[in-house]
């Protein structure tokens, strides 16, 4: 993660102090470390995200195509979440400067990813069909978006600022609550919306990653303190979106719309879940904040590169480092791990599929 973030930051600045700062902010971002007890793949795959971004910035077309395809494939075969996380990074790469040439480029490495990951996708499909395991319903997924007030705060697990963060965000402390960007970092990223030079492709790309990643991470409905925000005036829109989802994917949108969703404030990802096949497999929608978090640290690199006063850079750096101080990891597991008894029992079954 650190090496990849160094590479990515160099796209925005040549000042070594800023580059190292940005790499450290990404490497020790709390969301990357929160699930060490059961999801080490989150830590590993988030380390590859800056490499995917950096590869897409390469001057050589072949390096962009084959490099991005290889990294996206490595992520995808380790976790199917990365079908969509990778698609978001690549999709924004195209939308940032749409052209027929770039469309052909994106289509080429998307096809390569499909071919390279086909054995994994086929195996997953076969296992899913045999196990008859349903995906999650939309109502369940709506509970795993990040709350709006959980984004612009330090980590809820911060060793010194955690109490302050939990005074602002008072919802459940689960994976939907840890997409914390930091107050100083978040305000700095938002400030880029009001600065000039956003016509520059590289800065616009980082801003789009930041904004799109966080909007999708909020989930299909707006939540505050872990609870769905209600606004009955959106009921006609919500009913139409539910009916569309029920038409295209009745297993994810079963029956009639639940009352709490009928009066909710809909967000753009509701339309995505209604129309994109298999997106419902991305249960913890808050994980899309990995894309937004990468965009944020890259915006910080671009912003700090404009600052000429050394004292101001140092002051901002100290504030950014302080609000991202990592906490002691307490849920680590021994390697190799001890197998759960159920897996030992399964190995003794002959030909049984459960």
């Amino acid at each position: 993660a650190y090496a990849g973030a160094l590479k990515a930051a160099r796209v925005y600045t040549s000042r070594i102090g800023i580059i190292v700062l940005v790499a450290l902010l990404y490497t020790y971002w709390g969301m990357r470390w929160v699930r060490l007890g059961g999801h080490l793949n989150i830590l590993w795959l988030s380390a590859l995200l800056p490499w995917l971004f950096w590869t897409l910035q390469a001057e050589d077309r072949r390096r962009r195509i084959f490099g991005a395809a290889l990294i996206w494939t490595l992520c995808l075969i380790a976790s199917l979440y990365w079908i969509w996380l990778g698609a978001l990074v690549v999709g924004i790469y195209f939308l940032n400067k749409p052209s027929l040439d770039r469309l052909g480029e994106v289509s080429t490495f998307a096809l390569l990813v499909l071919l390279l990951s086909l054995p994994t996708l086929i195996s997953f499909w076969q296992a899913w069909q045999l196990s008859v395991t349903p995906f999650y319903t939309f109502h369940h997924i709506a509970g795993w978006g990040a709350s709006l007030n959980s984004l612009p705060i330090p980590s809820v697990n911060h060793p010194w600022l955690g109490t302050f963060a939990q005074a602002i965000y008072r919802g459940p402390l689960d994976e939907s609550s840890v997409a914390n960007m930091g107050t100083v970092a978040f305000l700095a990223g938002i400030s880029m919306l009001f600065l000039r030079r956003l016509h520059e492709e590289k800065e616009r790309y980082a801003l789009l990653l930041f904004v799109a990643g966080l909007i999708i991470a909020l989930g299909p409905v707006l939540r505050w303190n872990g609870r769905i925000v209600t606004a009955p005036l959106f009921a006609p829109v919500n009913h139409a979106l539910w009916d569309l989802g029920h038409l295209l994917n009745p297993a994810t949108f079963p029956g009639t719309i639940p009352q709490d969703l009928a009066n909710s404030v809909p967000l753009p990802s509701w339309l995505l879940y209604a129309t994109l096949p298999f997106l419902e497999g991305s249960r913890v929608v808050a994980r899309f904040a990995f894309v937004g978090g990468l965009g944020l640290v890259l915006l910080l690199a671009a912003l700090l590169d404009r600052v000429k006063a050394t004292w101001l850079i140092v002051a901002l750096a100290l504030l950014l480092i302080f609000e991202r101080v990592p906490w002691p990891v307490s849920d680590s597991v021994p390697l190799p791990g001890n197998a759960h008894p159920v897996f030992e029992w399964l190995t003794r079954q002959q030909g049984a599929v459960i």
Side-chain angles (χ1 to χ4, degrees):
Y2 179 73
L6 284 176
K7 293 282 191 182
R10 287 183 185 276
V11 175
Y12 294 90
T13 181
S14 59
R15 298 160 77 174
I16 188 63
I18 297 174
I19 293 170
V20 171
L21 170 66
V22 167
L24 289 172
L25 292 176
Y26 183 78
T27 302
Y28 292 104
W29 178 27
M31 190 176 181
R32 297 189 58 245
W33 299 85
V34 69
R35 294 301 305 275
L36 294 186
H39 290 283
L40 281 173
N41 61 321
I42 291 177
L43 181 65
W44 297 334
L45 298 179
S46 60
L48 289 176
L49 192 58
W51 288 99
L52 177 60
F53 167 85
W54 176 69
T55 304
L56 289 172
Q57 306 305 305
E59 294 288 341
D60 183 69
R61 179 185 175 91
R62 287 176 298 180
R63 181 175 145 193
R64 287 198 304 270
I65 291 175
F66 290 104
L70 177 60
I71 295 172
W72 191 1
T73 301
L74 288 173
C75 293
L76 190 157
I77 62 178
S79 172
L80 294 183
Y81 270 93
W82 288 81
I83 295 176
W84 304 108
L85 287 170
L88 181 59
V89 174
V90 171
I92 292 174
Y93 168 73
F94 167 72
L95 293 174
N96 188 37
K97 189 179 179 181
S99 65
L100 289 177
D101 182 64
R102 184 161 287 194
L103 178 61
E105 183 179 315
V106 168
S107 301
T108 300
F109 62 68
L111 180 59
L112 283 173
V113 170
L114 177 61
L115 294 175
L116 291 171
S117 61
L118 198 57
T120 297
L121 296 176
I122 291 174
S123 298
F124 171 79
W125 177 262
Q126 291 176 334
W128 180 56
Q129 292 293 312
L130 288 172
S131 63
V132 198
T133 302
F135 277 149
Y136 304 97
T137 64
F138 182 77
H139 193 219
H140 176 84
I141 294 167
W144 286 98
S147 294
L148 182 60
N149 61 328
S150 72
L151 297 181
I153 59 174
S155 171
V156 292
N157 298 310
H158 195 286
W160 303 302
L161 299 176
T163 302
F164 165 74
Q166 292 183 38
I168 297 174
Y169 170 77
R170 299 173 181 268
L173 299 179
D174 53 27
E175 200 171 345
S176 70
S177 69
V178 296
N180 316 127
M181 300 291 131
T183 304
V184 176
F186 188 85
L187 292 176
I190 292 295
S191 72
M192 293 294 286
L193 290 169
F194 306 100
L195 296 179
R196 298 179 181 179
R197 289 175 55 191
L198 285 182
H199 62 278
E200 291 192 7
E201 182 183 347
K202 61 181 182 180
E203 293 191 0
R204 191 169 60 242
Y205 187 22
L207 183 65
L208 289 173
L209 290 174
F210 172 56
V211 173
L214 293 191
I215 288 177
I216 296 178
L218 288 172
V221 296
L222 185 65
R223 302 203 311 154
W224 189 271
N225 286 331
R227 298 179 180 179
I228 295 175
V229 177
T230 58
L233 66 93
F234 290 104
V237 176
N238 295 337
H239 280 275
L241 288 170
W242 183 273
D243 291 342
L244 176 63
H246 183 71
L247 175 67
L248 299 176
N249 192 351
T252 304
F253 294 83
T256 58
I257 184 171
Q259 188 60 35
D260 57 345
L261 293 182
N263 293 321
S264 63
V265 178
L267 296 176
S269 63
W270 188 330
L271 182 61
L272 298 180
Y273 276 98
T275 56
L276 294 179
F278 306 116
L279 181 57
E280 64 271 17
S282 302
R283 178 177 68 103
V284 186
V285 64
R287 291 180 184 173
F288 280 91
F290 283 119
V291 175
L294 175 63
L296 176 57
V297 296
L298 297 178
L299 284 176
L300 292 176
L303 181 64
L304 292 173
D305 187 60
R306 299 179 180 186
V307 178
K308 304 305 179 185
T310 303
W311 69 268
L312 183 54
I313 294 177
V314 172
L316 288 171
L318 290 175
L319 287 173
L320 290 167
I321 291 172
F322 178 69
E323 71 174 2
R324 285 220 175 174
V325 168
W327 64 91
V329 175
S330 60
D331 60 348
S332 57
V333 294
L335 292 176
N338 298 321
H340 191 280
V342 71
F343 295 114
E344 297 177 1
W345 176 83
L346 282 171
T347 59
R348 296 193 295 268
Q349 310 308 305
Q350 297 183 1
V353 176
I354 298 176

